[in-house]
Amino acid sequence: MKPSHTSQRGNVLFLILIAVALFAALSYAVTNASRGQGKNSNDDEVKLDAARIVQDCGTLRQSVLRFMTTSDKSADIIEMNDGVDPAVPCRTGVNCLFAAKGGNVIIPIPPVRKGAKGANTPTQISYEFYNISDGENMPGYASNKPLLMFIARNLNTAFCEKVNIAAGQPSTVEASTTSFPNFRDQCVTGVGDIYFKCPLMH
């Protein structure tokens, strides 16, 4: 009888050790899966925010074309900012794209998630809206042909690469120079500045 009890105790102890080992392995697997999911989730959020900027670009372009068609206004008449600061969209007037009596277009708001701020930089993305009359003041502008332009600022290279991919362009962030085309949606770098430019109408 004694050997039998000893054998049973040994079996129970062995089963307990197996259960502890399995629990430890399960905990390790769950922890690793959670870490991996968090990383992928952040990357997915950044991609979504990059796509959102490109979508805001496309929506504004369609809105400008609709405003021109329905109001019979030429591009040089349309107003997008307050006449002083391109970061401040206009809100009144029949020529204002965003005014109720004008184009009645909703002012786009930049992404504000952590991953959207130039991929975790502390500076939040900002949007700028340029009238044709602001052509000389547009960053990196390399043409004597004025444009209505939408620009997203405060980006960094990693985030800009994702924006370029979302815009259907090569991921490489190129320098904005006189030889660089202004007439396409693309994330570029200037002097100490990386931004996404979106020509709306010229």
Side-chain angles (χ1 to χ4, degrees), residues 14-133:
F14 181 69
L15 289 173
I16 290 172
L17 288 173
I18 289 176
V20 169
L22 288 174
F23 181 75
L26 181 63
S27 298
Y28 178 78
V30 169
T31 301
N32 277 352
S34 298
R35 285 176 183 167
Q37 186 178 12
K39 182 179 179 181
N40 291 337
S41 176
N42 182 63
D43 189 57
D44 289 343
E45 285 183 355
V46 173
K47 287 179 182 176
L48 282 172
D49 290 328
R52 179 177 157 188
I53 290 175
V54 175
Q55 183 179 25
D56 286 342
C57 159
T59 301
L60 280 174
R61 183 179 290 121
Q62 291 175 359
S63 299
V64 167
L65 291 173
R66 185 173 60 248
F67 187 30
M68 292 176 67
T69 302
T70 58
S71 66
D72 198 28
K73 295 183 187 298
S74 59
D76 60 321
I77 296 297
I78 294 176
E79 297 170 2
M80 294 181 61
N81 59 50
D82 66 354
V84 178
D85 186 350
V88 180
C90 62
R91 297 173 185 272
T92 59
V94 295
N95 295 327
C96 174
L97 182 68
F98 306 112
K101 292 182 179 179
N104 199 28
V105 173
I106 295 173
I107 299 170
I109 299 172
V112 294
R113 278 194 300 236
K114 210 171 191 181
K117 299 174 185 178
N120 298 320
T121 60
T123 306
Q124 185 175 323
I125 290 172
S126 64
Y127 283 173
E128 293 180 347
F129 312 91
Y130 289 86
N131 306 322
I132 278 182
S133 58

Side-chain angles (χ1 to χ4, degrees), residues 87-181:
V88 180
C90 62
R91 297 173 185 272
T92 59
V94 295
N95 295 327
C96 174
L97 182 68
F98 306 112
K101 292 182 179 179
N104 199 28
V105 173
I106 295 173
I107 299 170
I109 299 172
V112 294
R113 278 194 300 236
K114 210 171 191 181
K117 299 174 185 178
N120 298 320
T121 60
T123 306
Q124 185 175 323
I125 290 172
S126 64
Y127 283 173
E128 293 180 347
F129 312 91
Y130 289 86
N131 306 322
I132 278 182
S133 58
D134 301 321
E136 294 299 319
N137 301 320
M138 280 191 280
Y141 189 66
S143 174
N144 56 6
K145 191 174 184 181
L147 292 169
L148 291 174
M149 182 81 82
F150 162 65
I151 286 179
R153 283 186 172 280
N154 299 329
L155 311 181
N156 73 7
T157 302
F159 187 71
C160 251
E161 287 174 351
K162 290 182 172 59
V163 173
N164 275 342
I165 292 170
Q169 301 291 348
S171 62
T172 305
V173 181
E174 299 183 44
S176 181
T177 65
T178 53
S179 61
F180 192 87

